[in-house]
Amino acid sequence: RCAGFPRAERGPLIWIWMGDPDMADESLVPDTHWLTDPQFKSVTGSFHMRSDYVAMHENLLDQTHFPFLHPGTVGTPEYARSKLDVHVQGQQVIIDRALRDSAPPGIYGVPAEIMHKKVDRLSQARFVSPAMHVAFAQVLDHAPDPGRPSRYRFNITHLITPETNHTIHYWWFNSRDFKHDDRQADEFLLAASEKAYLEDVDALQWISQVVQEDAEPQFDLNFAPDKPGLLMRRSLLRLPRPQACPPPCAPCVRRSSARKASSNDTRFDFDDGKRCVAAHCCPVHEHSAVPCQQGRTGGHHAEWAVERLFFDCGHDRALAGGAARIFACG
């Protein structure tokens, strides 16, 4: 039995609406025009990781960790001390930061060849949706060398699709508006980005393991820099949840006799030993790219989920000839 889901293609991305097809509104798909804009050149990569999408968003919004976890790429001591402005616009959480007359971080300064200078660094980070976080950076050189630009722009795109309650698919793009044909710039930005994001992956996987296995009671301890993450959680909780998740595959209907499920964690078994994970009373296929997680936010959000590639998960997927619909077959 196959269930169909509306999809929308935006450049290298495929967005999937996992709820009621009649409620799919392509105007809600987040803007990523720079991924196809000829003014930008992008490098990209991906990770499959043991964490959840809320933790990933908290990580991306907690910029105080940059100088400590990413000292060789993104973080500088001056950045840690700079002031930030946090505000909410609709469901989006936005961080604005201006760092004046300071050394650039390596990930920006090396490809721009301005590591020997003091520059202004303007940045904005946005929690856009459960599936997406973006960051826009401008580096201003007020005394550019002959033939060099005075402004360098970087757009960083983070895309997150839950796989289970404790695993996610994570894609990233680092886009720049200069040196489009410079292979060395491509190679440096790819290596530096992979290094920084792998540091995040390692940290988040360790945190996830501690949270799941630590016998001590878990609690939140929040400080002023945690404000963006807390606002993000509020935004998630305010998202509309009027729809039911997709029904389980036929082999999943049989309740597992080997595992007693709680009322908030109903689970089903595939005949081949795989399982469907349920968020509250809402069964969701483990192989579906759907932002429906039990986690700290709970419930099902009526949002577009991103699936940049068709995951090799042992289940067939096909596109209906030309129709804007994806089929997940169980």
Side-chain angles (χ1 to χ4, degrees):
R1 185 172 65 88
C2 293
F5 305 101
R7 67 153 171 86
E9 295 188 28
R10 298 290 186 272
L13 307 177
I14 299 175
W15 294 86
I16 309 172
W17 182 269
M18 304 298 287
D20 182 348
D22 293 334
M23 297 184 67
D25 181 358
E26 290 195 20
S27 69
L28 299 177
V29 175
D31 177 31
T32 54
H33 72 274
W34 55 88
L35 297 181
T36 54
D37 189 331
Q39 294 186 19
F40 286 89
K41 176 68 178 294
S42 300
V43 295
T44 183
S46 64
F47 295 95
H48 177 258
M49 54 188 291
R50 298 183 303 279
S51 186
D52 64 82
Y53 76 100
V54 181
M56 173 55 82
H57 280 296
E58 289 174 334
N59 166 74
L60 295 169
L61 290 167
D62 178 14
Q63 299 178 351
T64 59
H65 79 275
F66 285 9
F68 307 102
L69 192 59
H70 314 300
T73 52
V74 181
T76 64
E78 294 82 5
Y79 193 77
R81 293 191 292 267
S82 63
K83 294 183 179 180
L84 66 156
D85 175 71
V86 183
H87 61 283
V88 176
Q89 187 178 85
Q91 75 173 34
Q92 298 189 15
V93 179
I94 303 170
I95 305 174
D96 288 308
R97 191 188 294 259
L99 183 56
R100 308 286 183 178
D101 193 31
S102 65
I107 198 166
Y108 300 152
V110 170
E113 300 182 70
I114 53 173
M115 288 299 292
H116 59 293
K117 296 191 171 189
K118 293 293 185 69
V119 298
D120 290 348
R121 178 181 175 187
L122 312 179
S123 63
Q124 183 181 93
R126 284 178 175 253
F127 163 76
V128 178
S129 80
M132 181 172 161
H133 176 104
V134 295
F136 305 109
Q138 295 187 59
V139 178
L140 307 180
D141 180 2
H142 296 293
D145 295 336
R148 300 283 188 178
S150 61
R151 183 183 71 167
Y152 301 86
R153 294 173 60 193
F154 297 83
N155 293 354
I156 315 298
T157 312
H158 304 272
L159 300 153
I160 307 156
T161 298
E163 179 188 46
T164 70
N165 283 353
H166 304 295
T167 56
I168 60 175
H169 293 271
Y170 166 43
W171 296 276
W172 59 266
F173 292 80
N174 187 324
S175 308
R176 68 185 187 275
D177 72 343
F178 64 98
K179 289 188 175 181
H180 293 175
D181 300 320
D182 191 315
R183 184 174 178 179
Q184 286 187 329
D186 288 344
E187 292 174 349
F188 174 83
L189 283 169
L190 180 62
S193 300
E194 286 182 335
K195 179 179 184 297
Y197 301 144
L198 183 57
E199 290 165 345
D200 283 329
V201 169
D202 289 342
L204 287 171
Q205 291 189 146
W206 177 79
I207 292 170
S208 179
Q209 181 179 3
V210 170
V211 170
Q212 294 180 55
E213 298 179 0
D214 193 350
E216 295 294 324
Q218 300 293 324
F219 60 92
D220 280 348
L221 187 61
N222 297 303
F223 301 92
D226 297 313
K227 180 180 178 180
L230 295 174
L231 291 173
M232 176 272 298
R233 290 197 203 178
R234 287 185 184 178
S235 180
L236 287 175
L237 289 169
R238 285 197 298 266
L239 287 175
R241 288 174 282 176
Q243 303 170 314
C245 291
C249 298
C252 306
V253 175
R254 178 178 53 83
R255 176 75 66 87
S256 170
S257 60
R259 180 176 52 250
K260 182 178 180 181
S262 69
S263 59
N264 286 334
D265 189 14
T266 308
R267 299 180 187 272
F268 299 86
D269 278 349
F270 288 108
D271 286 339
D272 61 3
K274 294 185 178 181
R275 74 182 184 190
C276 278
V277 179
H280 291 260
C281 61
C282 181
V284 178
H285 306 147
E286 185 172 11
H287 55 277
S288 294
V290 56
C292 183
Q293 297 288 289
Q294 186 177 336
R296 281 162 290 183
T297 58
H300 178 64
H301 304 306
E303 287 285 314
W304 285 90
V306 67
E307 182 174 21
R308 183 172 171 243
L309 301 174
F310 296 139
F311 308 137
D312 181 13
C313 57
H315 292 267
D316 295 331
R317 293 188 180 189
L319 294 179
R325 188 168 292 269
I326 271 184
F327 290 86
C329 302

